[in-house]
Amino acid sequence: MSAHAADVIVVGAGIIGSMTAYYLSHQNKVLIIEKATPCSGASGACNSGLSYLGKEGVQLERAVQSLLIYKNLPDELQAGLDLNQERRMLLLAENEDELKVLADRVDACRSSGMPGELLSRKKVEKEFPKLAGSFLGGALAAGGLHGYVNPFKVVAACLRKIQEAGGKLLRHEKVKSILLEKGQVAGVQTGKRVVRAPVVVICSGHEADNLLDPLNPVGLKPVQGTILITERTPLDPGAKIFSAAFLQAPENFAISLAVEKTSTNNILIGTSREMVSKQGPARATILELAHKAHTILPDLKKINVLRVITGIRAVRSGGPFIGPVPGYTGLYASLGHGGEGITIAPQAGRELAKIIGSVI
Ligand SMILES: Cc1cc2nc3c(=O)[nH]c(=O)nc-3n(C[C@H](O)[C@H](O)[C@H](O)COP(=O)(O)OP(=O)(O)OC[C@H]3O[C@@H](n4cnc5c(N)ncnc54)[C@H](O)[C@@H]3O)c2cc1C
C-alpha cells in the first residue's frame, strides 16, 4: 500500500471499530485493518442485547444516546439490522441488597428522564405469570428502546457505507505495531506492509494492550462469557430477564441469569464472567446456566439448546477508554467496553469521531 494510504487507520472491525470508522468516514478517508474477519471478536459472540436499565452515570447517558441512534440506524445505513427495540427489560432481585441496588438504578434512570419502576414479587408474578424461582421483586422498564440487534449486520452495513465513501478494509492482516516519528503517529506496521496515516484509532478489543504496550496500555482484562442458544421457539419470556446479582458480581467471576429472545426467535441463555479458557466453555458453567434459566422459567425445560458459544469481553476498571492516548499525537483508542459494547457502539463511535474531527 502506498504512502499516506488514508487520513485515519482504524484497527479492528468489531462493532466499536466499524461504528467509529463509519462516523469518521463522513469527513475522512478511512482504512480499517482487521486481523481476521469483521465481527470475529466479542461482537460476534455475545448476547447482542440493547439496554439502559441497570446502568448508571456516564454509561447510562451513553446507552440512552446510543439507543436513540439505533432507532434510525436501519434507515441511515439503508440496511435491515434485525433491530427490535420493543422488548421490555426486567431485572430480578433475590435478596434485600439486590433490591436496594435496583432501587438505586431505577432512580438513576428516572433522573435521566427514562422510565423504570420497582415491582414487588406479586406485581412481577402478575405481569409475568410464567416466572418461578425465589426472587423478591424486580425492576422493569417498558419497551421503546430496549431490545436486540444483529451485530454482524451492523458491522457489514457500516463497512459498506465506509467503502461507498471511498474508505477501505484490509482483512486477514494483523497490525503488529504503531509507527511513531518524534512522538507523532505515522501509521502502522502490519504483518505484510507499512501503512502510513497521521491518525490511528485502536479498537482491537481485549488484545489491545499488546499493541499499546509499551506506549500506554489502558489496563484491559480479558473476561470470558458463555451463552447457550436454543432452537427457535414460540415461547416468549415477555422481556429481557436478568438477575440483579450480575450488577454487583466481581468483574472476573460470575454465573448469572440472563434470558432473552432474539429477532430470529431463538432464546439466549447466559451469562457468565470467567477466566479465558482455550478449552472453551466449562461443562459446569453450561449446567449452572441451564439450571438458573429452568428455575426462573420452567417452560424452557422443553426447549433444546442447539449451540454454546463463548466470547471474550475487554473489561476495564472505571469503564471504557474513549479518546486520545496520552503522550502520542494522533493516537486514539476506544477500548474496554466490557459487557456493554453493542449497546454503546453508536454513541462511542460518534463521540470519538467528534473528538478526532475537531483535531484533523
Ligand atoms: C458473552 C458476552 C455477552 C455480551 N452481551 C452483550 C449484550 O447483551 N449487550 C452489549 O451491549 N454488549 C454485550 N457484550 C459486550 C460486547 O460484545 C462487546 O463490548 C463488544 O462486542 C466489543 O466490541 P469491540 O469492537 O470493542 O471488540 P471486538 O468485537 O472483540 O473487536 C475487536 C476486533 O479487533 C480485531 N483485532 C484484534 N487485534 C488486532 C490487530 N492487532 N490487528 C488487527 N485487528 C485486530 C479482532 O479480530 C476483532 O475483530 C457481551 C460480550 C460477551 C463476551
Side-chain angles (χ1 to χ4, degrees):
M1 181 146 303
S2 62
H4 291 285
D7 301 321
V8 185
I9 292 170
V10 175
V11 183
I15 198 160
I16 297 291
S18 303
M19 287 272 16
T20 306
Y22 165 66
Y23 286 114
L24 282 165
S25 74
H26 293 354
Q27 290 182 336
N28 302 283
K29 205 167 131 200
V30 178
L31 175 69
I32 307 188
I33 307 182
E34 164 57 51
K35 72 166 186 170
T37 52
C39 217
S40 54
S43 304
C46 66
N47 288 58
S48 317
L50 305 176
S51 62
Y52 67 81
L53 183 65
K55 297 180 174 54
E56 56 184 351
V58 69
Q59 283 300 87
L60 172 60
E61 303 300 331
R62 282 193 178 123
V64 171
Q65 288 308 317
S66 249
L67 298 178
L68 292 169
I69 299 173
Y70 266 118
K71 279 196 159 284
N72 294 320
L73 209 53
D75 283 348
E76 189 178 331
L77 297 177
Q78 295 165 301
L81 305 175
D82 296 343
L83 179 68
N84 176 346
Q85 288 187 273
E86 291 307 322
R87 307 295 292 173
R88 292 185 293 174
M89 177 145 183
L90 176 67
L91 291 166
L92 291 174
E94 289 199 47
N95 57 47
E96 292 294 340
D97 279 355
E98 290 173 11
L99 265 184
K100 196 177 165 323
V101 172
L102 289 188
D104 290 345
R105 302 293 168 103
V106 165
D107 280 351
C109 283
R110 288 190 174 158
S111 311
S112 298
M114 302 309 295
E117 59 178 323
L118 215 52
L119 302 183
S120 64
R121 177 172 177 119
K122 242 187 176 167
K123 279 194 177 163
V124 174
E125 282 173 338
K126 195 165 170 227
E127 205 60 48
F128 300 93
K130 289 184 178 151
L131 293 194
S134 60
F135 57 89
L136 290 187
L140 180 68
L145 288 180
H146 289 116
Y148 174 87
V149 73
N150 183 329
F152 289 93
K153 293 195 174 178
V154 175
V155 168
C158 286
L159 295 177
R160 206 190 58 248
K161 283 284 174 192
I162 291 162
Q163 283 161 345
E164 282 170 14
K168 280 191 184 146
L169 165 72
L170 292 179
R171 58 180 86 204
H172 297 296
E173 189 150 343
K174 183 171 180 169
V175 171
K176 301 241 168 177
S177 61
I178 297 154
L179 301 179
L180 294 171
E181 286 167 5
K182 295 180 190 154
Q184 157 73 50
V185 163
V188 297
Q189 170 76 61
T190 75
K192 297 180 184 168
R193 63 197 112 190
V194 166
V195 191
R196 295 185 69 81
V199 173
V200 173
V201 186
I202 309 295
C203 301
S204 49
H206 72 95
E207 293 161 299
D209 271 346
N210 297 336
L211 206 54
L212 287 172
D213 186 42
L215 298 184
N216 205 336
V218 299
L220 301 174
K221 277 177 242 145
V223 176
Q224 183 171 297
T226 298
I227 305 164
L228 321 188
I229 306 174
T230 74
E231 62 190 333
R232 291 182 183 196
T233 170
L235 176 67
D236 191 343
K240 296 157 65 65
I241 303 173
F242 284 71
S243 165
F246 205 58
L247 301 177
Q248 289 179 297
E251 270 172 2
N252 55 0
F253 185 75
I255 299 179
S256 186
L257 174 84
V259 173
E260 53 192 323
K261 194 161 186 178
T262 70
S263 309
T264 47
N265 290 326
N266 306 89
I267 291 182
L268 304 183
I269 299 169
T271 185
S272 66
R273 293 179 185 145
E274 302 153 88
M275 275 171 55
V276 176
S277 153
K278 289 213 166 93
Q279 271 86 51
R283 188 178 154 74
T285 305
I286 297 171
L287 294 177
E288 180 71 12
L289 288 174
H291 172 71
K292 283 185 188 292
H294 291 167
T295 305
I296 211 78
L297 189 58
D299 284 355
L300 272 174
K301 288 182 188 163
K302 299 176 209 150
I303 317 292
N304 292 311
V305 169
L306 292 185
R307 286 179 65 205
V308 178
I309 59 168
T310 59
I312 304 177
R313 306 177 184 91
V315 173
R316 181 170 181 265
S317 299
F321 179 98
I322 305 173
V325 178
Y328 299 92
T329 310
L331 186 59
Y332 297 83
S334 186
L335 295 167
H337 294 280
E340 302 179 343
I342 305 300
T343 299
I344 301 295
Q347 175 60 16
R350 210 161 67 168
E351 211 172 300
L352 189 51
K354 232 180 188 172
I355 296 172
I356 297 172
S358 62
V359 178
I360 44 180

